[in-house]
Amino acid sequence: MRLDKYLAEMGAGSRSDLKKAVRAGRVTVNGSVLKDPAAHVQADDEVRLDGEPVAYEEYVYYMLHKPAGVISATEDKRQQTVLDLIDERQRKGLFPVGRLDRDTEGLLLITNDGELAHRLLSPKRHVDKVYFARLDGPVSETERKLFAEGLRVDETLTALPTDLEILDPASEVRVTIREGKFHQVKRMFEAVGREVLYLRRLSMGPLILDESLPIGAYRRLTEEELSAIMEV
Ligand code: URA
């Protein structure tokens, strides 16, 4: 791949700035200054910008604080997708791990690691997903018990035992599901006569939404988050 393209894909800056940086002699490849932005580099070359390594990474992992109003897809002709929120230079090959509804906010993992995604989404693994929900009215011990026993939603879905923590006010809840069926949380509440007015994912397995991340922003997973998620 071309040197300037390589640097841009690694997120080192814009293509035009990087061309200038290369021409200015700020980039070394395997210890030698290369001043030609069109020079070819390979994945195992050691590239440095201002002395700092710009390493090729096969897999990348981002935490996105998903806003309402964007769909969990990689591209769409009409609607904004979660990948549209990722810097264009960093977007290639990425996809969201699972789906949140268009109106749902919160934690979404974005990666190009298909194997990890498969593990996290596998119905056999029952990775816990915790949501905060605001309902159109209060729920009580009756609903908590129904959820705990494994609620029959309809002929296609009987949910696994689900923790329902009733917050104050009682129309706000924290719910932990162990599977990820289509519109699962909304359908479970609908089955007990309640409508979900607002839904936000707080965690997925060991990965917890970083509340300091502004809505619509994303960041790389930390080393700790990454090693925790790899254990799943
Ligand atoms: N359950 C839902 O109903 N919607 C989501 O976005 C996630 C879980």
Side-chain angles (χ1 to χ4, degrees):
M1 178 189 307
R2 279 176 62 115
L3 180 55
D4 56 349
K5 184 159 188 263
Y6 171 93
L7 289 163
E9 288 210 354
M10 297 304 115
S14 73
R15 191 92 177 249
S16 59
D17 284 349
L18 291 164
K19 272 189 186 143
K20 283 184 208 144
V22 173
R23 290 201 185 101
R26 289 166 54 199
V27 175
T28 59
V29 177
N30 302 325
S32 313
V33 173
L34 268 193
K35 289 192 171 181
D36 178 8
H40 274 260
V41 287
Q42 287 166 352
D44 57 354
D45 284 333
E46 196 220 28
V47 180
R48 286 174 183 260
L49 170 62
D50 296 331
E52 292 295 322
V54 184
Y56 181 79
E57 291 173 303
E58 187 172 9
Y59 295 120
V60 288
Y61 306 88
Y62 296 115
M63 175 188 293
L64 170 71
H65 194 161
K66 180 191 174 294
V70 299
I71 60 168
S72 298
T74 52
E75 53 184 358
D76 193 89
K77 286 207 175 66
R78 280 176 293 273
Q79 302 191 68
Q80 193 184 22
T81 73
V82 288
L83 277 203
D84 293 330
L85 300 171
I86 308 286
D87 188 322
E88 213 172 332
R89 286 167 287 149
Q90 300 172 326
R91 208 181 282 169
K92 211 165 137 221
L94 297 182
F95 55 85
V97 177
R99 282 163 187 273
L100 290 177
D101 295 339
R102 190 170 184 275
D103 59 353
T104 301
E105 290 182 356
L107 174 70
L108 194 61
L109 176 63
I110 308 272
T111 184
N112 56 352
D113 183 345
E115 206 180 306
L116 175 72
H118 187 76
R119 280 211 308 282
L120 288 169
L121 299 175
S122 163
K124 290 193 202 106
R125 288 191 194 249
H126 304 316
V127 174
D128 283 3
K129 267 97 44 185
V130 182
Y131 292 86
F132 168 83
R134 192 171 302 120
L135 311 170
D136 66 344
V139 280
S140 67
E141 190 56 21
T142 314
E143 286 79 22
R144 202 194 59 72
K145 282 205 184 112
L146 286 170
F147 274 44
E149 285 159 8
L151 182 74
R152 185 179 149 83
V153 175
D154 55 35
E155 52 291 344
T156 64
L157 174 61
T158 299
L160 289 172
T162 301
D163 290 339
L164 176 60
E165 192 188 336
I166 302 166
L167 305 172
D168 186 20
S171 57
E172 294 185 351
V173 294
R174 202 173 292 126
V175 51
T176 305
I177 58 171
R178 316 215 138 74
E179 57 219 312
K181 300 281 163 52
F182 188 59
H183 297 327
Q184 178 156 348
V185 174
K186 291 176 186 165
R187 284 162 72 199
M188 289 182 76
F189 283 105
E190 204 178 289
V192 296
R194 281 279 163 249
E195 190 189 341
V196 172
L197 302 179
Y198 171 80
L199 190 61
R200 169 184 187 77
R201 181 153 66 188
L202 303 175
S203 68
M204 181 182 203
L207 193 62
I208 299 167
L209 177 66
D210 177 350
E211 299 280 355
S212 72
L213 198 59
I215 294 183
Y218 66 100
R219 65 155 171 78
R220 283 172 179 263
L221 293 196
T222 63
E223 288 295 323
E224 292 77 41
E225 287 166 341
L226 195 53
S227 48
I229 202 110
M230 288 300 172
E231 308 254 300
V232 171

